[in-house]
Amino acid sequence: MKCHICGEKASVNMREHKLALCKEHYLEWVPAQVERSIKKYGLFRQEEKMLVAVSGGKDSLSLWDILQRLGYHADGLYICLGIDEGIGYSTESQRLAVKFATNHGLNLHVVNIQSEYGATIPQITRRTHRGRIKPCSICGLVKRHVMNRIARDLDYDVLATGHNLDDEAAVLFGNTLSWSGEYLLRQGPLLPGSAGLARKVKPLCRLYEREMLAYALLQEIEYIYEECPYSIGSTSIYYKELLNRLENERPGAKLSFYLAFLEARKTGLFTEREKIQAELHSCSRCGQPTSAPGLCSFCRLLERTTSVALNERNT
Ligand code: Q46
Ligand code: ZN
Ligand code: ZN
């Protein structure tokens, strides 16, 4: 297979785009795709202050790398969740995120959940749900809260995450199976900001996971190979496998599933829901938006964690 641009030996063959490229042209093609998404969906402007959530994985570190190559200024945010599970997951991913920032002369904020809130994610889950659930829903809630807090307190205009097309298509598939109108309405490359909430963007939403992997390898980005131990057996991985089977039979199916959804929404598929969307309140403790009056779900979680810890200490 030859590169479609220069005729040299191709390094990456993308059946979904009927395109094969050599290393050099592939490393130009990926940032160009990201720039196209930034412009097409109006994600952010050059002069805006941006925060990238980095996990130490290939997608978020590649995103940070690409933004920098495109001339955007972005600081990083690493959230240490305190997940070990015998492989030192958090320690290793933090090491790689810090190393990337240092090597590229970039600014990285590190938030340690245990030192800030008194317990790691697995500990919070054990305390509040006695180990009956996986930590993922708690983890998602805590990460969202911390990202919003840092973005708001340090005045960032926009918060970028490294979700790729496979992530987005899997979430869309799940939301479609249950016709979750509220979630479908909010899903997409751009979630506008509101009082107390930074705008959220996903510049990699049109790039396949496989394409991001090829970018990280060819660009020699050092990232954590292990997935978070808690992701094993998750529904989203199952949906990804299903969609991969579809993609194998019909290259491009995943991309058109996602893009057709965005188009349908743009042309008004969910307008009725938009009108009846609930009004947001402000949490009485942390000030972040919440759907019900009083404390937000993060502050309620924290309250439960602290009271369980106190009880444990007293017994
Ligand atoms: S980090 Fe957290 Fe993920 Fe690990 S505990 Fe689950 S949600 S799987 S992106
Ligand atoms: Zn080439
Ligand atoms: Zn709150």
Side-chain angles (χ1 to χ4, degrees):
M1 189 72 70
K2 288 191 170 143
C3 171
H4 285 182
I5 298 175
C6 66
E8 295 287 316
K9 190 174 171 298
S11 296
V12 188
N13 179 21
M14 294 170 281
R15 285 206 303 156
E16 57 278 14
H17 300 300
K18 297 188 179 66
L19 180 67
L21 293 172
C22 68
K23 175 179 171 181
E24 187 196 329
H25 286 117
Y26 187 72
L27 289 177
E28 283 172 12
W29 180 83
V30 172
Q33 294 302 306
V34 175
E35 181 77 324
R36 212 177 119 197
S37 296
I38 295 171
K39 295 278 167 345
K40 182 174 169 63
Y41 303 117
L43 302 186
F44 43 83
R45 297 185 309 275
Q46 200 86 33
E47 66 276 14
E48 286 185 301
K49 204 176 154 199
M50 196 182 337
L51 187 63
V52 185
V54 289
S55 65
K58 64 178 189 322
D59 300 302
S60 53
L61 288 181
S62 296
L63 171 62
W64 208 7
D65 181 80
I66 292 166
L67 290 173
Q68 195 202 5
R69 287 183 60 203
L70 289 171
Y72 292 97
H73 177 78
D75 291 342
L77 168 63
Y78 176 84
I79 303 175
C80 179
L81 306 165
I83 295 174
D84 183 278
E85 293 297 292
I87 59 165
Y89 177 74
S90 286
T91 320
E92 182 60 4
S93 55
Q94 179 169 350
R95 184 184 72 80
L96 292 167
V98 170
K99 188 172 176 189
F100 183 91
T102 313
N103 288 348
H104 291 78
L106 294 165
N107 184 23
L108 177 70
H109 306 283
V110 175
V111 172
N112 187 304
I113 297 299
Q114 182 165 35
S115 29
E116 296 224 6
Y117 302 108
T120 64
I121 294 291
Q123 285 169 345
I124 297 180
T125 314
R126 272 196 296 276
R127 284 181 192 168
T128 53
H129 292 81
R130 305 195 183 284
R132 280 193 303 266
I133 60 160
K134 273 194 171 198
C136 293
S137 52
I138 304 286
C139 181
L141 171 69
V142 172
K143 281 194 289 195
R144 273 193 304 278
H145 179 91
V146 171
M147 287 191 285
N148 283 330
R149 174 169 71 78
I150 299 291
R152 181 192 62 186
D153 292 355
L154 302 178
D155 260 340
Y156 285 96
D157 302 303
V158 53
L159 176 68
T161 54
H163 294 96
N164 59 42
L165 175 67
D166 292 46
D167 299 322
E168 288 299 279
V171 172
L172 176 60
F173 187 62
N175 287 339
T176 308
L177 284 181
S178 54
W179 290 113
S180 309
E182 211 65 56
Y183 289 112
L184 287 167
L185 176 68
R186 291 165 54 82
Q187 200 191 340
L190 170 82
L191 191 60
S194 54
L197 271 188
R199 183 188 333 142
K200 289 193 181 127
V201 297
K202 297 169 184 165
L204 304 182
C205 67
R206 293 168 71 114
L207 285 152
Y208 281 74
E209 165 128 40
R210 224 166 38 81
E211 294 168 355
M212 289 317 300
L213 176 65
Y215 181 85
L217 293 175
L218 293 175
Q219 183 73 342
E220 294 175 21
I221 291 174
E222 223 189 313
Y223 64 91
I224 182 155
Y225 296 124
E226 279 89 11
E227 296 286 342
C228 170
Y230 294 115
S231 69
I232 295 162
S234 69
T235 327
S236 72
I237 290 197
Y238 175 62
Y239 291 159
K240 281 183 184 176
E241 284 165 6
L242 286 179
L243 290 167
N244 281 343
R245 278 164 59 187
L246 176 68
E247 180 77 25
N248 274 341
E249 298 289 323
R250 297 178 47 199
K254 227 183 275 182
L255 186 61
S256 52
F257 174 52
Y258 184 64
L259 295 185
F261 156 73
L262 293 182
E263 199 50 40
R265 202 184 53 179
K266 201 170 122 196
T267 47
L269 187 63
F270 301 102
T271 5
E272 281 308 308
R273 281 218 70 92
E274 212 158 358
K275 277 188 218 147
I276 58 169
Q277 212 191 1
E279 201 189 308
L280 286 181
H281 303 264
S282 191
C283 168
S284 54
R285 182 172 304 160
C286 73
Q288 289 199 18
T290 165
S291 47
L295 292 183
C296 73
S297 35
F298 175 83
C299 290
R300 268 185 280 132
L301 173 79
L302 212 62
E303 214 170 50
R304 256 186 296 156
T305 318
T306 332
S307 64
V308 174
L310 282 176
N311 282 345
E312 280 171 0
R313 230 168 283 154
N314 293 338
T315 49

